[in-house]
C-alpha cells in the first residue's frame, strides 16, 4: 500500500539534486513507473496530460480508450450548463392559486407550487442551517400577503419528464444520499439526515432524530443500545425499499456514546417539498387547512394544469448558476449534476419527450462542436453515477482545454476542488507543492478512481490532465497512486519541448 511513498520519496530526492536538469522524458519515465507497478497489472490506466501553453502532449497512455469516469462526468455537465445557460442564469419556482389572497390574506383553495429544478432549497446553500432551506419560499408567500390557505399545498414536479433517477443508476444506490431522486421540486437535496443516539439503558432501542424534523418517512426501529465497550463506535445499517417511505434500521450504538450520523434519500420529493413548506408556513403563523399532495408528468398527461384559471401569487429565483455549479463540483453532488442536465434538456424544448434524453442530446451537440465525437464520450446521465458512462482521457483533456478558453473560464475553474483546501480534495495533497495550486474533479465508484483538472508545474507551465484508473478495487491505494502522478506534474521543473 505504501510502495508509492518510497518511490515518490526517491523521486523527490533525485529531483532535488537535479532540478535544473529535469526533462520531459524523465517526467514521462516517472509517470510510467507508477502505472507499471505490478499491482496494477490487471487494472487499466488511462492518462492524458496536455500543455495549455502550447497544446503539446506531455504524456499519454490509453488516452483514446473508453473508461468509466465516475464523477469526472460532472465536468461535462457543468461545462454544458455554463455554455448553454450562462453563470447568471436563475431557476424560477412559482406559486399559483385560483386568485390572489383576499383582503384578509386568505387564499380560497389550493396553492400550487410549480418547480423547475431549483436545487438551492437546501441547507447546503445556507451555511448548513436546515431551517433556512425553505425560507425564500415562505418569505415570498408572506410578502405576497398570504396569511391562510383554505386548501392544500400541491407540489408539482411535472416540468421534468421521465424517471426520477438517472439512466444506469443501480437499485442499491437509490436509498443512499448520493442516489437521491431528481425532481423539478427538490428540498434539502432530497436527503434526510438521521442521528442515532443510545437509549436510556443497555438493550433499549436507539433514539432516532431526523434533520430536518419531518414525518415524511417512518421507521421500523430494530436497533439496540449496547454496553459501552472501550469507547467503540456502533454500526447502523439502513434499508429503505425502493419507492417506499419506511426505513428499516438495525445495529446499535454504545451506551454513553455521542451517537452516529447516517442519511437516507427521501422518496417522492415533490410531496416532501409540499409537506416541509406547510410546516414552515405554520411556524410563521400561516394556516394551511388541507393536506400536502403531489403531481408529476404522468398525472399531468391525464389532467393538465389549467393555466388560464390560475394566477401567480409569488415566485422565487434560485441562486445563480455559478453558485450551483460550485456546489455541484466541489462536494461532488450527484443530484445537482443531474438537475443541471435536466435543466438544459428542458430548456432545449423537451416539452413532450424525456428530459434526460433531451439533455444528453444537447450534450452530444455541445461536445461535437468542440471536437469530441460520440465514440470519445458516451454519457448516460449527468453525474457519473451510472456504470454505463464512458469517456476517454483525451476527451476530458480536450474539454478542459476548451473551458480554459471559454468566456466563463473563471467560473468553471473556481468551482473545482482545490488541493488540500476544499471540496473533495480538502484532505489530499496537504503539505505538498500541489496544495492550493492544483484544481481538479475527483471521481470514485467501485473499482473506479479518477482525477482530472488543472495544475501549474514548478516550471511555470499550465497543464490540463485526466488520470483514470479502472478495474482496481483498493480505493486508498488507487488514490495514492493517482495523487503521486498528479504531484509529479506539479513538481515538474522542466518544460515541454515546444514553447
Amino acid at each position: 500500500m505504501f510502495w508509492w511513498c518510497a518511490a515518490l520519496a526517491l523521486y523527490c530526492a533525485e529531483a532535488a539534486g537535479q532540478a535544473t536538469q529535469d526533462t520531459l522524458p524523465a517526467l514521462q519515465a516517472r509517470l510510467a513507473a507508477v502505472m507499471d507497478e505490478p499491482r496494477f497489472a490487471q487494472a487499466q490506466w488511462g492518462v492524458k496530460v496536455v500543455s495549455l501553453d502550447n497544446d503539446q502532449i506531455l504524456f499519454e497512455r490509453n488516452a483514446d480508450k473508453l473508461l468509466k469516469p465516475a464523477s469526472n462526468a460532472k465536468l461535462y455537465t457543468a461545462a454544458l450548463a455554463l455554455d448553454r445557460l450562462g453563470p447568471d442564469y436563475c431557476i424560477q419556482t412559482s406559486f399559483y392559486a385560483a386568485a390572489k389572497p383576499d383582503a384578509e390574506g386568505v387564499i380560497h383553495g389550493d396553492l400550487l407550487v410549480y418547480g423547475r429544478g431549483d436545487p438551492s432549497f437546501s441547507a447546503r446553500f445556507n451555511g448548513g442551517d436546515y431551517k433556512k432551506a425553505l425560507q425564500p419560499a415562505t418569505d415570498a408567500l408572506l410578502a405576497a400577503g398570504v396569511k391562510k390557505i383554505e386548501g392544500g399545498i400541491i407540489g408539482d414536479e411535472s416540468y421534468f419528464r421521465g424517471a426520477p433517477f438517472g439512466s444506469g443508476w443501480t437499485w442499491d444506490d437509490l436509498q443512499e444520499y448520493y442516489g437521491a431522486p431528481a425532481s423539478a421540486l427538490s428540498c434539502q437535496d432530497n436527503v434526510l439526515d438521521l442521528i442515532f443516539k443510545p437509549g436510556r439503558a443497555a438493550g433499549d432501542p436507539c433514539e432516532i432524530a431526523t434533520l430536518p424534523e419531518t414525518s415524511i418517512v417512518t421507521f421500523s426501529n430494530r436497533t439496540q443500545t449496547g454496553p459501552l465497550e472501550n469507547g467503540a463506535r456502533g454500526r447502523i445499517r439502513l434499508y429503505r425499499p425502493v419507492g417506499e417511505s419506511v426505513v428499516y434500521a438495525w445495529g446499535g450504538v454504545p451506551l454513553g456514546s455521542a451517537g452516529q450520523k447516517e442519511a437516507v434519500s427521501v422518496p417522492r420529493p415533490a410531496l416532501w417539498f409540499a409537506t416541509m413548506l406547510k410546516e414552515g408556513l405554520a411556524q410563521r403563523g400561516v394556516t394551511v387547512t388541507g393536506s400536502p399532495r403531489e403531481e408529476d408528468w404522468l398525472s399531468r398527461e391525464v389532467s393538465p394544469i389549467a393555466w388560464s384559471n390560475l394566477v401567480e401569487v409569488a415566485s422565487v429565483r434560485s441562486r445563480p448558476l455559478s453558485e450551483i455549479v460550485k456546489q455541484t463540483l466541489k462536494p461532488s453532488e450527484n443530484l445537482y449534476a443531474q438537475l443541471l442536465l435536466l435543466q438544459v434538456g428542458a430548456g432545449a424544448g423537451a416539452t413532450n419527450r424525456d428530459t434526460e434524453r433531451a439533455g444528453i442530446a444537447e450534450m452530444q451537440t455541445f461536445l461535437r462542436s468542440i471536437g469530441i465525437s460520440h465514440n470519445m464520450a458516451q454519457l448516460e446521465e449527468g453525474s457519473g453515477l451510472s456504470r454505463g458512462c464512458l469517456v476517454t482521457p483525451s476527451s476530458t483533456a480536450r474539454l478542459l482545454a476548451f473551458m480554459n478558453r471559454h468566456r466563463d473560464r473563471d467560473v468553471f475553474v473556481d468551482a473545482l476542488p482545490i488541493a488540500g483546501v476544499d471540496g473533495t480534495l480538502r484532505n489530499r495533497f496537504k503539505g505538498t507543492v500541489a496544495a492550493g495550486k492544483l484544481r481538479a474533479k475527483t471521481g470514485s465508484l467501485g473499482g473506479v478512481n479518477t482525477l482530472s483538472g488543472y495544475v501549474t508545474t514548478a516550471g511555470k507551465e499550465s497543464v490540463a490532465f485526466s488520470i483514470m484508473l479502472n478495474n482496481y478495487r483498493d480505493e486508498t491505494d488507487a488514490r495514492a497512486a493517482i495523487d503521486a502522478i498528479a504531484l509529479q506534474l506539479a513538481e515538474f521543473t522542466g518544460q515541454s519541448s515546444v514553447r
Side-chain angles (χ1 to χ4, degrees), residues 136-460:
T138 56
D139 283 349
L141 290 168
L142 289 171
V146 178
K147 297 180 180 178
K148 183 177 182 180
I149 300 171
E150 291 186 339
I153 296 178
I154 303 172
D156 193 301
E157 60 181 2
S158 62
Y159 185 67
F160 295 152
R161 297 172 61 87
F165 306 109
S167 294
W169 293 11
T170 59
W171 73 267
D172 51 332
D173 287 328
L174 303 186
Q175 77 168 25
E176 306 292 346
Y177 70 91
Y178 56 80
S183 169
L185 200 57
S186 293
C187 175
Q188 294 287 11
D189 306 342
N190 300 334
V191 169
L192 191 62
D193 289 328
L194 309 175
I195 306 296
F196 288 82
K197 293 186 177 181
R200 294 183 178 181
D204 287 350
C206 297
E207 297 178 0
I208 306 175
T210 66
L211 295 173
E213 293 183 7
T214 182
S215 59
I216 196 68
V217 299
T218 58
F219 294 91
S220 177
N221 188 355
R222 306 177 183 194
T223 63
Q224 189 175 62
T225 301
L228 184 62
E229 296 179 0
N230 300 320
R233 291 186 61 205
R235 183 173 184 272
I236 299 294
R237 294 178 292 113
L238 302 176
Y239 173 54
R240 181 182 65 74
V242 176
E244 296 187 16
S245 298
V246 179
V247 177
Y248 297 85
W250 296 273
V253 293
L255 187 66
S257 72
Q260 185 173 335
K261 186 174 181 179
E262 298 290 340
V264 67
S265 65
V266 174
R268 305 169 68 184
L271 179 62
W272 193 35
F273 190 107
T275 302
M276 294 299 295
L277 180 59
K278 179 179 179 178
E279 294 173 0
L281 287 171
Q283 291 170 5
R284 303 188 68 177
V286 177
T287 301
V288 181
T289 62
S291 300
R293 309 196 304 277
E294 63 186 325
E295 297 284 353
D296 62 13
W297 65 281
L298 290 168
S299 62
R300 288 306 185 193
E301 281 191 336
V302 178
S303 302
I305 298 174
W307 293 110
S308 61
N309 297 331
L310 298 174
V311 296
E312 187 177 71
V313 175
S315 66
V316 174
R317 289 167 64 84
S318 73
R319 303 295 177 88
L321 189 73
S322 57
E323 188 173 343
I324 295 172
V325 167
K326 181 180 290 188
Q327 292 291 355
T328 300
L329 295 185
K330 283 189 181 291
S332 199
E333 177 57 53
N334 289 339
L335 173 65
Y336 298 176
Q338 182 68 0
L339 288 176
L340 287 176
L341 180 70
L342 296 176
Q343 192 66 218
V344 171
T351 307
N352 295 310
R353 60 187 178 126
D354 184 279
T355 313
E356 183 188 65
R357 291 184 182 179
I360 291 297
E362 197 67 15
M363 173 76 77
Q364 292 170 347
T365 299
F366 166 63
L367 294 179
R368 282 196 303 270
S369 73
I370 64 176
I372 299 175
S373 64
H374 178 63
N375 63 359
M376 296 173 65
Q378 300 171 8
L379 298 172
E380 294 187 334
E381 41 82 43
S383 72
L385 185 58
S386 168
R387 280 71 172 172
C389 287
L390 297 169
V391 303
T392 67
S394 288
S395 66
T396 302
R398 184 181 289 269
L399 176 76
L400 290 166
F402 173 79
M403 292 307 295
N404 189 59
R405 303 187 299 270
H406 196 273
R407 64 178 184 274
D408 298 319
R409 173 202 178 275
D410 292 346
V411 174
F412 182 78
V413 174
D414 187 54
L416 293 171
I418 305 172
V421 175
D422 65 12
T424 53
L425 285 180
R426 63 188 176 278
N427 295 319
R428 294 167 68 174
F429 298 100
K430 283 185 175 293
T432 72
V433 298
K437 297 179 180 178
L438 181 146
R439 291 175 178 257
K441 182 71 199 74
T442 56
S444 63
L445 285 172
V448 177
N449 273 272
T450 56
L451 185 70
S452 299
Y454 306 101
V455 67
T456 300
T457 70
K460 307 301 182 185

Side-chain angles (χ1 to χ4, degrees), residues 21-32 58-59 492 495-497:
Q21 303 173 27
D22 206 2
T23 64
L24 184 58
L27 171 68
Q28 293 169 341
R30 293 194 294 270
L31 299 182
L58 276 67
F59 183 88
F492 179 51
Q495 301 287 339
S496 58
S497 59

Side-chain angles (χ1 to χ4, degrees), residues 3 34-35 39-47 67-70 72 393 443-451 466-482 485:
W3 63 271
V34 175
M35 289 174 269
R39 72 186 61 232
F40 298 120
Q42 281 73 47
Q44 187 167 27
W45 283 98
V47 179
L67 299 170
K68 296 183 179 89
N72 273 199
S444 63
L445 285 172
V448 177
N449 273 272
T450 56
L451 185 70
S466 179
I467 307 170
M468 306 179 71
L469 176 58
N470 280 197
N471 306 321
Y472 191 77
R473 281 283 175 179
D474 188 330
E475 184 172 352
T476 300
D477 198 28
R479 287 186 179 181
I482 287 173
I485 292 171

